[in-house]
Amino acid sequence: MMVTINTTKTLYSPENIEVGIVHIGLGAFHRAHQAVYIEKNLNRNMGGSWGICAVNIRSNYQLVDQLERYGCRYHVVEYRNSQNGHLREINAIREALYAGDDKEVLFERLLSEHTKIVTLTVTEKGYYIALTDKKLRLDDPSIQYDLKHPAQPKTAPGILVEALYRRREIGLAPFTILSCDNIPNNGSLTRQAVCELAAQRSDEFAQWIKDEVAFPSSMVDRIVPAMTDESKKRLQRDFKIEDPNAVLSEAFSQWVIEDNFPLGRPDWENDGVQMVKDVHPFETMKLRLLNGSHSLLAYIGSAANFETIAKTRAVPEFAALVRHYMHVEAAPTLEMPEEVDVPVYIESLMLRFSNDSLHHRLSQVAIDGSQKIPQRWFACTEERLNANKDIFAVALGIAAWILYVSGRNLKGQQHLVDDPLAERLSECHANTDKPQEIVRNILDMSDIFPSILREHDGFYQAVLSAYRMLITQGVMACLTVFESDE
């Protein structure tokens, strides 16, 4: 099958770019999203001082070494569908660092006067914030380590606190901290983690951070599937390149950022970034509609033994499920600016879910469910329960997730459960085979479910009913309640 190809090459001289941004969490998403916007900015301005130093702090030193071997040059392939792709050369990352046991090489960069912005993609669990009360988990072993060894911290909050402490000591203005993780109010959450950890040193230091450091929130959106051997073969077949650092993504990309950068920022608004006063409505819409739908497809699709988002969404019954969830259960809970057309956004998501070029695996979406589903489902669920409205789709999603974390699908086939609470979730299944006890044990986990849901009998009954139907009648029987229009 022939692929229509467009290409964009680097126009500036990479060796002349100054590093102004340090990014913590070098992975596929950063390379396919934030780095692309910086590349566009540098290309448009024929250079500048906003190059990236990208860092991994806990794992994946192999990626750092590999990027270094290629001078940090790599490609992003943006697929609109399996017949149309765009090949983009990226040189925006000017340094790649692995700061595992020794953080001084990272602190040297963080203490540079040229470093104006620090961005993060460390996933929900990388902030060490409890989902229920939004407090820093001070009893976590990694946070405890940072308290005892502040000069060589293990965590992202620990690194930020130590860097800010050192900058303050030498009279250097603090950098702006910009979370790019898929979490509601990620700026406020990052501030909470950093300030609580700083308060363990002194209240005065924590207050200085609150007064002087900017933590703008942002919303990021681009589907970036994990690279596989097949993905690499597609690069060679479709684009005739062999680039071990390349990443694939969908053509769609969105970045919405609160405009609060005391030391300056790139003129992102000229590169497609939406600079706004309040990002909250946009991130809420994305979390509840796109990410909430992704989780539904991941867990219910896995129960039916599907493998990818596109193949699952292609089944009319699953399409009906997702449409019902977005139009009926999630969209009515949104409060959006007048210029945002939510039904149009929903239709754009349905098209994106159909992108057959991505091979976006359900197992990738299903990772860290205990951290993700509270952000995606719980707020709209609480609102609907309070209004005595049904939660059919979410109840089925939670039921399918409960099945998923048992480590087996409906056919008894085993799979890996990649979740920080995997052991505890597994124990909820190991000690009983009674549906009511399994559901009750999991819904009683206070570090996942807030008290309003744990204590709501209607919520328990809805999830239990969905779980019983799922394990006795199968997935397709559960989907008959959702009317297909396809």
Side-chain angles (χ1 to χ4, degrees):
M1 183 180 297
M2 293 295 293
V3 176
T4 302
I5 299 170
N6 294 311
T7 61
T8 300
K9 292 187 175 295
T10 293
L11 303 177
Y12 56 91
S13 299
E15 62 274 9
N16 295 330
I17 300 303
E18 178 66 60
V19 170
I21 300 171
V22 173
H23 180 79
I24 300 175
L26 171 57
F29 185 79
H30 170 67
R31 285 180 286 145
H33 188 271
Q34 297 97 46
V36 170
Y37 283 99
I38 296 299
E39 178 71 18
K40 290 179 179 179
N41 187 269
L42 295 172
N43 252 356
R44 184 172 49 77
N45 290 310
M46 293 301 293
S49 57
W50 295 109
I52 303 168
C53 170
V55 187
N56 275 337
I57 61 174
R58 298 290 292 271
S59 61
N60 208 351
Y61 65 87
Q62 298 95 335
L63 173 59
V64 171
D65 289 346
Q66 197 162 261
L67 271 173
E68 289 269 285
R69 284 199 298 272
Y70 286 79
C72 295
R73 173 182 176 269
Y74 66 98
H75 296 84
V76 175
V77 180
E78 303 166 336
Y79 278 106
R80 191 161 72 248
N81 51 49
S82 59
Q83 288 82 47
N84 294 274
H86 188 113
L87 180 67
R88 191 181 298 277
E89 180 185 3
I90 307 293
N91 281 284
I93 296 177
R94 302 310 316 134
E95 288 181 350
L97 301 177
Y98 177 70
D101 295 332
D102 185 3
K103 299 292 192 300
E104 287 308 312
V105 65
L106 170 56
F107 284 128
E108 182 178 346
R109 177 54 72 184
L110 289 171
L111 294 177
S112 168
E113 64 179 356
H114 298 291
T115 298
K116 306 293 198 302
I117 301 170
V118 175
T119 57
L120 302 99
T121 50
V122 294
T123 75
E124 294 91 339
K125 58 190 175 186
Y127 294 87
Y128 297 87
I129 290 286
L131 295 176
T132 49
D133 63 6
K134 308 303 182 187
K135 299 292 185 181
L136 183 67
R137 300 203 309 269
L138 288 169
D139 59 346
D140 186 278
S142 294
I143 295 295
Q144 283 292 309
Y145 180 92
D146 286 3
L147 292 173
K148 295 175 183 176
H149 308 90
Q152 285 294 324
K154 288 184 176 181
T155 72
I159 289 168
L160 295 172
V161 167
E162 177 65 11
L164 290 170
Y165 183 84
R166 295 189 191 188
R167 285 181 76 108
R168 182 176 180 239
E169 288 294 294
I170 62 176
L172 195 59
F175 42 66
T176 296
I177 299 174
L178 177 65
S179 171
C180 302
D181 277 299
N182 191 31
I183 311 170
N185 302 308
N186 52 20
S188 298
L189 180 143
T190 309
R191 178 189 286 110
Q192 181 76 19
V194 170
C195 289
E196 279 199 62
L197 190 57
Q200 302 304 305
R201 296 193 182 192
S202 76
D203 291 337
E204 187 265 340
F205 176 43
Q207 190 61 50
W208 176 82
I209 293 176
K210 292 177 182 178
D211 293 340
E212 302 295 331
V213 182
F215 293 86
S217 287
S218 76
M219 185 276 275
V220 297
D221 190 1
R222 175 168 255 191
I223 298 171
V224 184
M227 289 294 289
T228 63
D229 290 340
E230 176 58 29
S231 303
K232 295 171 184 176
K233 291 178 183 176
R234 289 173 63 200
L235 281 180
Q236 174 61 29
R237 182 190 70 220
D238 296 346
F239 295 92
K240 304 299 185 288
I241 63 167
E242 292 186 11
D243 179 355
N245 299 311
V247 286
L248 306 184
S249 75
E250 64 174 332
F252 178 89
S253 185
Q254 187 178 19
W255 199 5
V256 185
I257 306 175
E258 291 177 348
D259 199 356
N260 182 17
F261 293 81
L263 297 186
R265 61 167 177 82
D267 55 338
W268 275 318
E269 61 270 30
N270 296 316
D271 305 304
V273 180
Q274 295 170 259
M275 304 302 300
V276 300
K277 290 184 178 180
D278 182 10
V279 79
H280 178 69
F282 297 92
E283 66 186 9
T284 301
M285 180 174 70
K286 189 246 182 172
L287 277 162
R288 296 185 189 177
L289 297 182
L290 185 147
N291 299 121
S293 296
H294 262 170
S295 290
L296 280 180
L297 291 170
Y299 297 118
I300 305 174
S302 293
N305 217 28
F306 286 96
E307 293 186 352
T308 69
I309 290 290
K311 288 183 178 179
T312 309
R313 180 260 180 265
V315 177
E317 290 84 354
F318 276 95
L321 160 73
V322 172
R323 285 187 185 280
H324 172 92
Y325 165 73
M326 288 197 283
H327 281 290
V328 177
E329 296 188 26
T333 70
L334 300 174
E335 295 183 8
M336 298 303 300
E338 289 185 5
E339 65 270 19
V340 178
D341 191 325
V342 175
V344 169
Y345 180 74
I346 289 174
E347 288 310 304
S348 74
L349 293 181
M350 296 301 291
L351 286 174
R352 291 170 65 191
F353 296 157
S354 301
N355 191 332
D356 60 353
S357 67
L358 296 179
H359 305 298
H360 195 191
R361 300 185 69 81
L362 302 185
S363 57
Q364 181 186 2
V365 180
I367 291 172
D368 295 341
S370 68
Q371 312 298 295
K372 292 176 178 176
I373 62 174
Q375 318 284 1
R376 302 177 178 192
W377 291 342
F378 289 179
C380 60
T381 298
E382 289 178 19
E383 184 171 324
R384 290 188 65 80
L385 287 171
N386 289 337
N388 293 315
K389 296 180 179 179
D390 72 74
I391 55 166
F392 292 151
V394 168
L396 181 58
I398 294 173
W401 170 72
I402 290 173
L403 173 67
Y404 186 86
V405 298
S406 73
R408 295 179 182 272
N409 64 14
L410 287 173
K411 294 183 178 180
Q413 298 166 321
Q414 291 184 314
H415 57 252
L416 174 68
V417 178
D418 189 346
D419 191 289
L421 302 181
E423 185 175 347
R424 288 173 55 201
L425 291 164
S426 178
E427 289 173 355
C428 292
H429 287 269
N431 299 326
T432 180
D433 59 359
K434 297 179 180 179
Q436 65 271 26
E437 293 181 0
I438 293 172
V439 172
R440 184 74 272 168
N441 289 342
I442 288 182
L443 297 192
D444 278 344
M445 294 178 67
S446 60
D447 43 357
I448 301 177
F449 294 90
S451 59
I452 191 172
L453 294 182
R454 294 198 312 272
E455 298 167 5
H456 197 294
D457 186 62
F459 178 66
Y460 166 73
Q461 294 297 339
V463 175
L464 176 60
S465 176
Y467 183 74
R468 279 176 167 157
M469 188 174 186
L470 181 66
I471 63 175
T472 59
Q473 300 182 45
V475 172
M476 303 313 290
C478 295
L479 299 181
T480 57
V481 69
F482 308 107
E483 294 185 8
S484 175
D485 58 359
E486 296 191 358

